[in-house]
Amino acid sequence: MNYNDRLSGNEAIAFAMKQIDPDVMAAFPITPSTEIPQYFAQYVANGEVNTEYVPVESEHSSMSACIGAQAAGARAVTATSSAGLALMYEMMYVASSSRLPITLACVNRALTGPININNDHSDSMGIRDAGWIQIYAENNQEAYDNFLQAMPIGEHPDVRLPVMICQDGFITSHALENITLLDTESVKAFVGEYNPENYLLKKENPLAIGPYDLGCHYMEHKIQQAESMKFAKERILEVAAEFEKISGRKYGLFEEYQMEDAEVALVLIGSSAGTAKAAVEELREQGVKAGLIKIRVFRPFPAEEIAEALKNVKAVAIMDKAESFSAQGGPLFAEVRSALYDLESRPKAVGYVYGLGGRDITPQHFQGVYGRLLDIAKGGDLGPVYTHLGQRG
Amino acid sequence: MKLSARDINENSTWQEMTLGGEIYEPATSKLVNTGAWRTNTPVLDVAKCRHCLMCVPYCPDSSLPVLYGRLVGVDYYHCKGCGICAEVCSFGAITMKEGGEV
Amino acid sequence: MELERTYHFKKTLEKKERFAPGHRLCAGCGAGIAVRGVLRALNEEDRAVIGNATGCLEVSSFLYPYTAYEDSYIHTAFESAGASLSGVEAAYNALKRKGKVKDTVKFITFGGDGGTYDIGFQSLSGAMERGHDLTYVCYDNEAYMNTGIQRSSSTPRFASATTSPAGSVVPGKKQNKKNLTDIIAAHNVPYVAQTTFIGNFRDLYTKARKAIYTPGATFLNVMAPCPRGWEYPAEMLPEICRLAVETCVWPLFEVENGVWRLSYEPKKKLPVEEYLRMQGRFRHMFKPGNEWMIEAAQKSVDENWEKLLAKCLG
């Protein structure tokens, strides 16, 4: 039975974890994700969950402990942000290459330096190629819903990959919103039990994990990961369909907003979509055929599907909330522009880097972007494809 | 699909290898002939051996098998010929012979 | 669990071997002896999960698809052995509570001095402080052997390593060896011990049994000579270990619930020179004009020995 409550994004994630009641949580506090282990530690202290809570001495150790726990046959979760995720970098690869479906709640925050606690996507984008499934939320409801879908996706025997559920630091993590929760019984039934075929504590046979691979085996193991990541796209949609049945809420690889007849469009990730939608509505009222694509799944990247969704658009702006210092645009821009390459007739594409370190973005900013796209659509000059938005000077 | 270390080699395709490099059977290293590394070879003189077993725990390669409290020989398929066993033996029952051949 | 008071050497060797041959450690490697010796201390009916920091032991004992372990084994990274095994132990507690695991499983992790004294120090300290029911075993060969004999914080002063080479100006490693066993004892864990390969292995076996079967986080520091890195003929390992103990370079002791106990006191403490002379890494100390190095090494050993005696007698 669904019911309504008012929760912050962090509370929503902690509550989802409580409903799932994982075997092990290992976490180290870092703003803005700190509340998640705090709430969860209180659940443990109150006996509301059966979880072993491991208060590790660093994020490197939280991921290491999660790897050990998941390999042992347990369901392991953690939460982190920014520098915490960066400190995990090496272990993120170990988790995915060991094929351990750990779930990580990432509360996106700018990477140091200079140190900054506000939101952008430089943390999870920096680790985008570590072999983790990455799913992003626009709001608290999506953060909650995505977290519940993580384990059925990652634990599928043909996927066996870790999953990162991302939401925007402070913007959603600390803001209260009305959200609809599932009852715990439905959550437990939906998420199911974790029953890996082999695990360290299995009685019938031992398991050795984490070998040294010579050149003759390493590439084959990487291809296995790559093949599973390809399959994950199908599994994400399957799980979304199952989730819709119990929640009534529909999810895909990305959300298309006013895209049916759109001539100009934005592609972006996360909470900025709410602001951008307001801009789209205003433009629609003025008769402008504006649309929006909000990426939900960044890894695996839904390239073909995005190309299909954008094929009739005349001009598109791809908005990155992370710098990649490639000197030619952010990571989302690179992915989307590459996805468009195979289209017979492609929209013109420009990239923007915006919102770094929590820099505010308003409907007016987006209207300005749409204005530029309309000029380009009419045959105007494309101009520089890599620019920033919202900065001074 | 169950995959055994016995069937995995440098020509295996990615479909023929275990996911993530996991091995779900014990002690598959026994398949490896590290005895081929030997440049010197321990020779056990059974007549001199008092079965004190002092040599056994010093072997880094678990190559001095014990059965019913007695040293039953040298596992030449795995012994690398380090010579520690000969050094430890107080009775001159193990001597090192030049070359890797048994 | 009540541990037996007597040591039956032969009976220990009749136990099933848990570290299989066919691993790729060098001939005469001390790490292999350490692993065998520690795992022999397990009750035969108990299962174990073996952890491992990256290092010689790891790349040699689980080179795909060949595992040298009869038991389950996990390697994650160089600096994470303490944390990874913490996670395994936490999972065991959770699954046991849920009835998914029923039998006794022990948790033992191995790391070289690189993975233990240095890069994995924080993760080890965390695991000890949190008090997971596990045993961390350092096989201490006093340098980063896997990458080619670079100095570590465990490398003794004056030893020539590839990143602290002895030259005409610099006399090998400039700093003293870190006293890790003391540092772990300062975590107030229930059992910490220092051992090596001596005589009939009574010392290593009984300490390993205490470490494995004492509830809580425990630590064993096992001196495990490396013939290549220390530059001595492989077969001389037992003599190197004996001299390390007889010169008090590597004293045998244990700290049980805060009580320091000397496991062995040499009747006549041998000069450290006898230990140093056998190893090529100390070769330069014996050149004319470098007598001060041997004196300094002796002074350092004497000081450490006196401090240890004070702790054990005090």
Side-chain angles (χ1 to χ4, degrees):
Chain A
M1 199 185 67
N2 292 349
Y3 63 103
N4 295 325
D5 204 341
R6 198 159 49 207
L7 297 178
S8 73
N10 279 344
E11 281 175 306
I13 291 286
F15 190 71
M17 287 179 176
K18 178 183 171 185
Q19 290 184 307
I20 292 166
D21 195 1
D23 301 304
V24 174
M25 182 184 198
F28 188 81
I30 181 168
T31 305
S33 64
T34 306
E35 289 177 334
I36 296 172
Q38 279 180 350
Y39 288 127
F40 200 83
Q42 193 63 54
Y43 298 145
V44 174
N46 296 346
E48 294 173 78
V49 287
N50 288 308
T51 310
E52 280 283 311
Y53 181 77
V54 189
V56 284
E57 80 298 333
S58 72
E59 289 89 352
H60 192 283
S61 284
S62 64
M63 186 45 58
S64 301
C66 283
I67 291 168
Q70 194 88 24
R75 201 173 244 160
V77 299
T78 188
T80 196
S81 299
S82 182
L85 192 63
L87 187 59
M88 287 181 187
Y89 181 85
E90 176 193 20
M91 304 317 292
M92 298 291 280
Y93 280 78
V94 175
S96 60
S97 65
S98 302
R99 312 305 302 267
L100 299 169
I102 297 157
T103 308
L104 182 151
C106 175
V107 183
N108 287 108
R109 163 186 155 183
L111 273 178
T112 309
I115 189 167
N116 176 289
I117 61 166
N118 300 308
N119 169 246
D120 68 31
H121 296 155
S122 52
D123 49 5
S124 58
M125 280 297 155
I127 208 156
R128 65 189 182 274
D129 294 334
W132 283 60
I133 290 167
Q134 283 194 343
I135 303 179
Y136 289 82
E138 174 187 337
N139 52 41
N140 303 5
Q141 182 72 63
E142 290 184 7
Y144 173 76
D145 291 351
N146 287 345
F147 198 87
L148 296 183
Q149 293 172 64
M151 290 163 193
I153 294 168
E155 292 171 5
H156 187 280
D158 295 330
V159 177
R160 283 191 58 183
L161 291 172
V163 183
M164 200 187 301
I165 299 300
C166 305
Q167 63 167 311
D168 285 346
F170 293 111
I171 300 169
T172 66
S173 70
H174 284 63
L176 292 182
E177 284 184 348
N178 290 322
I179 70 171
T180 306
L181 302 167
L182 298 177
D183 65 88
T184 298
E185 206 176 310
S186 304
V187 167
K188 284 206 160 58
F190 176 74
V191 174
E193 283 285 305
Y194 179 51
N195 290 314
E197 196 180 341
N198 292 295
Y199 52 102
L200 297 171
L201 294 170
K202 189 177 174 186
K203 192 185 172 110
E204 293 73 22
N205 58 275
L207 171 68
I209 192 167
Y212 173 54
D213 257 12
L214 293 174
C216 60
H217 293 134
Y218 181 86
M219 189 160 170
E220 279 68 24
H221 280 137
K222 290 293 129 184
I223 289 167
Q224 291 176 340
Q225 276 180 261
E227 289 295 322
S228 296
M229 192 58 97
K230 281 194 222 164
F231 173 73
K233 207 154 72 172
E234 195 179 317
R235 181 62 187 161
I236 289 165
L237 292 174
E238 261 174 36
V239 172
E242 288 165 28
F243 187 75
E244 189 184 354
K245 285 183 205 156
I246 59 164
S247 68
R249 292 185 290 278
K250 192 175 174 61
Y251 287 98
L253 301 169
F254 48 86
E255 181 190 342
E256 295 181 63
Y257 187 79
Q258 300 279 28
M259 285 299 293
E260 302 80 15
D261 61 345
E263 291 180 349
V264 287
L266 303 188
V267 181
L268 49 70
I269 296 176
S271 61
S272 320
T275 315
K277 283 173 186 172
V280 169
E281 284 312 304
E282 281 184 40
L283 290 166
R284 284 273 166 181
E285 277 171 24
Q286 295 162 25
V288 176
K289 289 179 175 174
L292 168 76
I293 288 179
K294 179 189 80 191
I295 300 287
R296 175 173 179 250
V297 178
F298 185 73
R299 285 288 181 270
F301 191 73
E304 289 166 24
E305 293 83 352
I306 282 177
E308 179 64 25
L310 288 171
K311 69 179 180 193
N312 296 321
V313 167
K314 290 179 178 150
V316 58
I318 298 131
M319 317 270 308
D320 272 284
K321 222 175 190 179
E323 245 306 348
S324 75
F325 303 109
S326 69
Q328 56 166 0
L332 183 62
F333 179 53
E335 295 283 4
V336 175
R337 194 159 65 156
S338 165
L340 298 176
Y341 187 83
D342 291 330
L343 289 174
E344 295 270 324
S345 109
R346 294 184 286 271
K348 297 282 186 190
V350 294
Y352 284 94
V353 174
Y354 75 103
L356 300 183
R359 180 58 51 89
D360 205 16
I361 184 101
T362 64
Q364 289 69 39
H365 285 119
F366 286 121
Q367 284 183 357
V369 174
Y370 279 115
R372 181 183 168 197
L373 293 179
L374 286 169
D375 281 347
I376 295 169
K378 282 180 202 145
D381 184 23
L382 185 66
V385 296
Y386 164 46
T387 54
H388 293 80
L389 185 65
Q391 77 279 21
R392 294 180 302 278
Chain B
M1 183 173 55
K2 288 264 179 232
L3 291 167
S4 169
R6 201 174 287 279
D7 306 316
I8 298 167
N9 56 50
E10 64 274 21
N11 296 316
S12 302
T13 65
W14 64 265
Q15 294 93 338
E16 297 164 340
M17 286 166 47
T18 52
L19 279 192
E22 61 186 15
I23 290 295
Y24 32 79
E25 56 188 316
T28 52
S29 67
K30 287 177 187 168
L31 295 166
V32 182
N33 178 15
T34 49
W37 296 13
R38 268 198 317 278
T39 53
N40 291 304
T41 301
V43 180
L44 175 68
D45 183 341
V46 180
K48 287 186 183 164
C49 179
R50 308 259 184 105
H51 301 284
C52 69
L53 307 187
M54 279 299 284
C55 55
V56 177
Y58 283 96
C59 176
D61 289 287
S62 318
S63 293
L64 295 168
V66 174
L67 201 62
Y68 304 117
R70 294 171 72 83
L71 179 65
V72 293
V74 179
D75 171 2
Y76 288 115
Y77 192 72
H78 297 114
C79 166
K80 296 169 188 155
C82 69
I84 293 177
C85 53
E87 190 67 25
V88 167
C89 184
S90 307
F91 307 103
I94 303 176
T95 47
M96 295 304 292
K97 180 178 72 101
E98 213 168 298
E101 297 301 310
V102 177
Chain C
M1 197 191 83
E2 188 72 16
L3 292 175
E4 67 287 330
R5 285 166 189 278
T6 49
Y7 173 66
H8 296 289
F9 171 62
K10 281 194 159 189
K11 275 193 183 157
T12 67
L13 298 175
E14 285 172 19
K15 285 179 160 182
K16 190 188 173 199
E17 183 68 52
R18 297 177 95 122
F19 187 61
H23 59 71
R24 322 293 178 96
L25 290 166
C26 299
C29 174
I33 306 173
V35 175
R36 289 187 65 209
V38 170
L39 297 186
R40 204 180 298 127
L42 278 161
N43 290 333
E44 283 194 275
E45 66 275 21
D46 290 344
R47 293 195 288 132
V49 176
I50 314 300
N52 202 177
T54 310
C56 291
L57 177 66
E58 182 269 324
V59 301
S60 305
S61 66
F62 188 23
L63 190 149
Y64 187 77
Y66 305 113
T67 169
Y69 301 88
E70 292 285 347
D71 295 284
S72 280
Y73 170 88
I74 178 169
H75 157 255
T76 59
F78 198 178
E79 67 281 40
S80 52
S84 291
L85 211 67
S86 298
V88 178
E89 189 258 4
Y92 172 68
N93 295 334
L95 297 182
K96 204 146 194 196
R97 218 163 33 230
K98 290 181 182 175
K100 284 186 169 182
V101 173
K102 293 193 173 65
D103 38 345
T104 303
V105 185
K106 305 307 294 182
F107 304 97
I108 304 167
T109 193
F110 294 95
D113 49 294
T116 308
Y117 283 69
D118 290 346
I119 195 169
F121 182 61
Q122 172 181 317
S123 153
L124 164 64
S125 176
M128 291 288 129
E129 183 271 331
R130 290 188 301 271
H132 296 273
D133 190 8
L134 58 80
T135 299
Y136 192 110
V137 182
C138 176
Y139 66 96
D140 185 358
N141 54 25
E142 301 191 328
Y144 307 151
M145 301 313 185
N146 192 39
T147 41
I149 320 164
Q150 292 82 31
R151 61 88 85 186
S152 76
S153 65
S154 169
T155 306
R157 190 176 172 202
F158 301 119
S160 188
T162 55
T163 50
S164 64
S168 54
V169 180
V170 179
K173 195 193 169 198
K174 291 180 180 174
Q175 301 82 5
N176 283 316
K177 180 183 169 95
K178 184 196 277 184
N179 193 336
L180 184 67
T181 316
D182 280 31
I183 294 168
I184 302 302
H187 285 68
N188 294 320
V189 291
Y191 190 75
V192 172
Q194 192 163 288
T195 182
T196 187
F197 320 126
I198 286 290
N200 67 359
F201 277 66
R202 176 201 296 269
D203 195 70
L204 190 146
Y205 183 85
T206 52
K207 284 175 178 169
R209 270 185 82 67
K210 278 190 193 175
I212 294 167
Y213 288 103
T214 299
T218 60
F219 179 76
L220 275 186
N221 205 354
V222 184
M223 194 191 94
C226 168
R228 210 173 112 58
W230 295 13
E231 298 177 63
Y232 67 86
E235 69 275 13
M236 296 314 289
L237 176 137
E239 181 62 4
I240 298 256
C241 292
R242 189 187 73 81
L243 285 171
V245 173
E246 296 293 341
T247 55
C248 299
V249 163
W250 188 258
L252 307 179
F253 65 93
E254 60 187 358
V255 188
E256 205 168 352
N257 296 316
V259 179
W260 290 67
R261 195 179 301 122
L262 206 59
S263 315
Y264 174 76
E265 190 171 358
K267 287 190 181 66
K268 183 177 175 297
K269 192 158 151 263
L270 296 180
V272 69
E273 198 179 325
E274 292 193 27
Y275 169 75
L276 302 174
R277 194 186 295 282
M278 291 187 68
Q279 304 170 49
R281 61 178 173 155
F282 299 119
R283 190 181 296 118
H284 54 288
M285 297 173 77
F286 293 88
K287 282 187 185 156
N290 286 350
E291 293 79 5
W292 66 274
M293 294 182 196
I294 295 173
E295 284 164 26
Q298 184 67 58
K299 187 164 174 276
S300 167
V301 167
D302 291 346
E303 281 170 6
N304 286 334
W305 176 245
E306 290 305 320
K307 277 187 215 160
L308 178 63
L309 283 180
K311 280 180 196 148
C312 294
L313 301 174

